[in-house]
Amino acid sequence: MNDDESVLLHTEGHTLHITLNRPRALNALTHTMVRSVDEALTQAEADASVVAVVISGAGERGLCAGGDIRSIYQDARAGRRASVDFWRDEYLLNARIARFPKPYVALMDGIVMGGGVGVSAHGDVRVVTERSRVAMPETGIGFVPDVGGTHLLGAAPGELGTHLALTGKPVNAADALACGLADHFVPSARLPGLVAALSRCTAPADVPETVRRYAAPAPAPELAEHRAWIDDCYAADTVEEIIDRLTRTGLPAAEETARSLLALSPTSLKVTLEAVRRARRLGGLEAALDQEFRVSCRAFEGHDLVEGVRARIIDKDRDPRWNPAQLGDVTEADVARHFEPLGAGELGLHPAAP
């Protein structure tokens, strides 16, 4: 497959269909794919005959599992900076999707993680199915939620977003709806009919009603039964205190969560907590993306991202050697460094961002 086939475009009726087409890689995003989607949106915005855009993933496994983190590892190991250029264009695309003037329908069927969330959850019509598994799993590789993830999770009810940001755990369709990551539940068997119906839309106003016709009541959210301890424990001021509260609940689910957090990058956990809380104060997506770009650039210069990808993707030994290895060894200055302005290298979406 050449790069030109990694994103497929076709128009049916007045609807542009964008298909992420790397099914063997769970449609993981490359820089070429990001640019292709952006170019497609440029053309769709200018074309008066296009009334809506639908994005989906090829294959049966999911929309998109994220960015191509193996290439990030190789880039960092070689001392290159191509990953920074990739993130810049990716985050600009995320912002563009959020402000796209025509209905942007994201079919979040199957696995939707990391960069997959970025090309879907900022759209104005977001569809999940019984097969959906939505996550921002960056702390598992020594990274921090990006692609607007801190903005999305910061806006989730209570402390649900903090829980998902720190643990990186996936949620099902019902919890994605409850957390504000999606809008409609459509059983996967109805997706072909929905896609065909969207192609028959002749005006932007037809799109929301068309999706509602195919939607169904979602199952009960699984996180609801854990909301009390999640809200209490994650309201703590520090990661150390969050873990202490989780451990002292006496609840198996909370105690297991504490153990899982202790296996993750201490630096990523502390920076993620700070990033989500700052994103809440920033309010808007574009300011959050500016912040995330700073954090991503700093993480790229650090130790844990390369080590996390090595342990999970390259060597697959699942035994990362984080540095610092303990939460107590990650200082406030270590965290603050991730948020320092980049000068001329800023993303620059929101000039008023700190």
Side-chain angles (χ1 to χ4, degrees):
M1 178 184 298
N2 60 50
D3 287 338
D4 290 341
E5 295 176 321
S6 59
V7 174
L8 303 179
L9 306 174
H10 74 281
T11 301
E12 291 187 24
H14 297 281
T15 298
L16 171 65
H17 295 266
I18 300 174
T19 304
L20 306 180
N21 188 40
R22 295 182 70 216
R24 291 184 179 179
L26 272 170
N27 301 316
L29 293 172
T30 65
H31 203 162
T32 296
M33 294 170 72
V34 166
R35 288 171 172 158
S36 295
V37 173
D38 185 70
E39 290 170 5
L41 293 183
T42 296
Q43 295 172 13
E45 186 171 347
D47 188 344
S49 69
V50 174
V51 302
V53 171
V54 176
I55 189 166
S56 61
E60 299 295 325
R61 299 168 65 193
L63 170 66
C64 174
D68 188 349
I69 58 176
R70 184 181 293 269
S71 68
I72 294 172
Y73 171 85
Q74 294 167 343
D75 189 36
R77 293 270 294 179
R80 298 188 296 261
R81 301 279 293 177
S83 297
V84 172
D85 296 333
F86 166 72
W87 285 324
R88 182 182 296 277
D89 286 343
E90 183 183 26
Y91 301 173
L92 292 174
L93 174 62
N94 302 149
R96 179 173 201 169
I97 289 168
R99 61 174 182 261
F100 192 68
K102 300 177 182 182
Y104 181 98
V105 182
L107 302 183
M108 302 170 69
D109 184 32
I111 293 173
V112 185
M113 296 184 179
V117 173
V119 297
S120 59
H122 301 304
D124 50 358
V125 184
R126 305 164 300 174
V127 174
V128 284
T129 75
E130 77 283 356
R131 302 186 297 206
S132 296
R133 296 295 180 268
V134 184
M136 295 298 299
E138 284 75 12
T139 55
I141 57 167
F143 198 38
V144 177
D146 64 338
V147 298
T150 60
H151 169 73
L152 293 165
L153 295 176
E159 295 295 334
L160 292 176
T162 310
H163 170 66
L164 297 179
L166 291 179
T167 63
K169 290 186 175 180
V171 294
N172 62 14
D175 286 319
L177 292 164
C179 291
L181 302 174
D183 305 301
H184 303 278
F185 174 75
V186 175
S188 59
R190 298 184 187 178
L191 287 181
L194 171 61
V195 171
L198 288 169
S199 296
R200 294 192 293 271
C201 291
T202 58
D206 297 339
V207 174
E209 179 55 35
T210 298
V211 176
R212 282 193 289 269
R213 288 204 313 269
Y214 284 82
E222 295 177 2
L223 285 177
E225 63 180 285
H226 304 295
R227 178 72 186 274
W229 64 259
I230 287 175
D231 283 357
D232 176 64
C233 295
Y234 288 94
D237 292 333
T238 66
V239 176
E240 290 94 331
E241 188 178 351
I242 288 171
I243 291 175
D244 182 60
R245 289 189 185 186
L246 289 167
T247 302
R248 290 188 290 107
T249 61
L251 299 171
E255 293 171 351
E256 174 58 30
T257 298
R259 288 191 291 272
S260 68
L261 289 174
L262 287 169
L264 300 176
S265 160
T267 300
S268 292
L269 289 176
K270 287 198 170 184
V271 175
T272 294
L273 181 63
E274 179 68 12
V276 170
R277 292 187 170 168
R278 288 191 182 210
R280 286 174 178 165
R281 297 193 295 270
L282 292 172
L285 170 63
E286 294 191 351
L289 286 166
D290 278 345
Q291 174 177 276
E292 290 173 359
F293 187 67
R294 296 179 194 130
V295 171
S296 297
C297 290
R298 302 301 185 197
F300 184 73
E301 298 166 355
H303 169 274
D304 281 6
L305 174 57
V306 172
E307 174 61 10
V309 176
R310 180 207 64 77
R312 178 161 295 204
I313 304 298
I314 306 300
D315 297 338
K316 299 182 180 179
D317 58 22
R318 302 281 174 163
D319 185 27
R321 296 168 177 81
W322 307 123
N323 185 21
Q326 304 296 324
L327 283 164
D329 294 332
V330 181
T331 68
E332 291 184 6
D334 292 331
V335 175
R337 181 180 63 84
H338 286 76
F339 298 88
E340 293 174 357
L342 299 171
E346 286 283 302
L347 186 63
L349 275 169
H350 193 274

